[in-house]
Amino acid sequence: MNVPNHVAIIMDGNGRWAQKRGLKRSMGHKEGSKTLEKLALHAIDMGVKILSVYAFSTDNFKRDKEEVDYLMDLVVKYFNTKFEKINKKGIKVVISGRKTNLRADVIDAINGIEEKTQNNTTGILNICLNYGGQEEIVDGAIKLAEDIKNGLDVSNFKREDFYKYMYHELPPIDLLIRTGGEKRVSNFMLYEMSYAEFYFTTTYFPDFDKSEFNKALFTYENRDRRFGGINDQKHN
Ligand code: IPE
Ligand code: IPE
Ligand code: MG
């Protein structure tokens, strides 16, 4: 099986999952976090090396304080106590996003989980929190400008070289999944998704289980990735 190296998921539909059941939106986030833990373990079993997930966008601060607080509490709880299986599996957890605007206990939890898992080598779980794709590019451009000011020669600077200025220097995304039915990227990993294959499903994230994930992998296997070139076997 041709397994994608880097899979990214826009975990959407938690609120609607809960509303459909007459529950508060926060119950959807709670259920979604359980789904994430299961999927992270499963993705590694399937041979995926890097899983990036969109947990909270810079624009999600537009939501009610109650919902934002609930999501942040969930992050603290998961990073501090619930990620033991992920750590045992050998998964390194990294967090992408801006630290500004985040509560002190959230920053402590981020530092804690990153430190605890830093030497793990089985795979990487990249959690995008207070994350924006345009923000990542802007932050990278500022870092590059500083290096140029300090004498970096950019006469041969290539697009591949810019990955070094992204939050964690992760490789390009091979497969991008969005649950919840919307067909947009909502400011997710814009630089990294340039040749990603897209997979959209109406399934709400809490219901996106192992078999749904496998369906996305099977679809990916049959995609004809050309990267701007021509695949001879299909055209002769
Ligand atoms: C995704 O689910 C999780 C976050 C954005 C934090 P939503 O909360 O966006 O759920 P819907 O799209 O309103 O159903
Ligand atoms: C994208 O979902 C962000 C996350 C999944 C964390 P949103 O629900 O915020 O995106 P829009 O508002 O539908 O574009
Ligand atoms: Mg949404």
Side-chain angles (χ1 to χ4, degrees):
M1 190 176 177
N2 171 27
V3 179
N5 181 54
H6 186 176
V7 176
I9 310 180
I10 300 174
M11 307 185 290
D12 198 22
N14 289 349
R16 282 165 286 163
W17 181 92
Q19 279 160 343
K20 203 176 85 181
R21 289 166 173 74
L23 301 169
K24 288 180 80 172
R25 291 178 55 84
S26 52
M27 290 304 104
H29 297 314
K30 187 178 177 189
E31 207 56 36
S33 54
K34 290 184 200 159
T35 299
L36 168 60
E37 189 186 12
K38 283 183 212 149
L39 277 185
L41 300 168
H42 175 67
I44 296 295
D45 286 341
M46 295 304 288
V48 172
K49 289 286 171 229
I50 301 149
L51 181 68
S52 289
V53 295
Y54 208 1
F56 192 88
S57 79
T58 51
D59 296 316
N60 288 147
F61 274 113
K62 292 174 188 164
R63 299 185 181 196
D64 289 350
K65 187 175 181 301
E66 190 192 340
E67 183 168 347
V68 173
D69 282 346
Y70 186 90
L71 281 161
M72 293 302 155
D73 290 346
L74 207 55
V75 163
V76 171
K77 183 167 143 194
Y78 264 78
F79 290 177
N80 286 345
T81 60
K82 297 249 181 187
F83 264 19
E84 214 27 64
K85 272 191 203 150
I86 285 181
N87 185 28
K88 282 219 180 82
K89 189 94 179 170
I91 300 173
K92 178 177 170 174
V93 179
V94 297
I95 314 300
S96 292
R98 288 185 173 167
K99 299 275 161 64
T100 44
N101 299 331
L102 290 179
R103 286 172 0 199
D105 62 333
V106 175
I107 294 185
D108 285 348
I110 290 174
N111 292 338
I113 194 71
E114 284 189 333
E115 260 171 47
K116 194 173 177 180
T117 63
Q118 64 184 341
N119 296 320
N120 288 349
T121 54
T122 312
I124 296 175
L125 173 61
N126 170 38
I127 300 182
C128 296
L129 187 72
N130 193 20
Y131 175 87
Q134 290 186 329
E135 281 83 347
E136 184 176 26
I137 294 169
V138 168
D139 292 348
I142 292 169
K143 279 188 256 163
L144 175 59
E146 276 162 14
D147 282 356
I148 295 171
K149 208 166 66 187
N150 292 327
L152 178 73
D153 175 11
V154 285
S155 47
N156 284 316
F157 194 86
K158 289 184 271 321
R159 63 189 190 188
E160 290 81 9
D161 300 327
F162 196 60
Y163 280 94
K164 184 168 164 262
Y165 294 92
M166 299 287 99
Y167 292 136
H168 290 287
E169 207 180 343
L170 298 171
I173 294 166
D174 300 295
L175 171 63
L176 174 76
I177 298 168
R178 182 167 186 147
T179 62
E182 313 300 348
K183 295 190 182 67
R184 53 180 173 251
V185 295
S186 301
N187 202 21
F188 196 32
M189 302 174 74
L190 302 175
Y191 198 78
E192 297 87 343
M193 70 166 72
S194 59
Y195 273 101
E197 294 297 326
F198 285 16
Y199 178 86
F200 295 106
T201 170
T202 53
T203 302
Y204 295 141
F205 186 69
D207 291 331
F208 192 75
D209 59 11
K210 291 181 195 176
S211 76
E212 293 273 338
F213 184 83
N214 290 349
K215 261 193 245 169
L217 292 185
F218 291 136
T219 305
Y220 173 84
E221 209 181 7
N222 294 314
R223 298 282 176 91
D224 181 18
R225 301 187 80 189
R226 295 189 288 279
F227 299 96
I230 293 159
N231 282 349
D232 286 344
Q233 67 273 28
K234 300 226 169 160
H235 291 270
N236 285 340

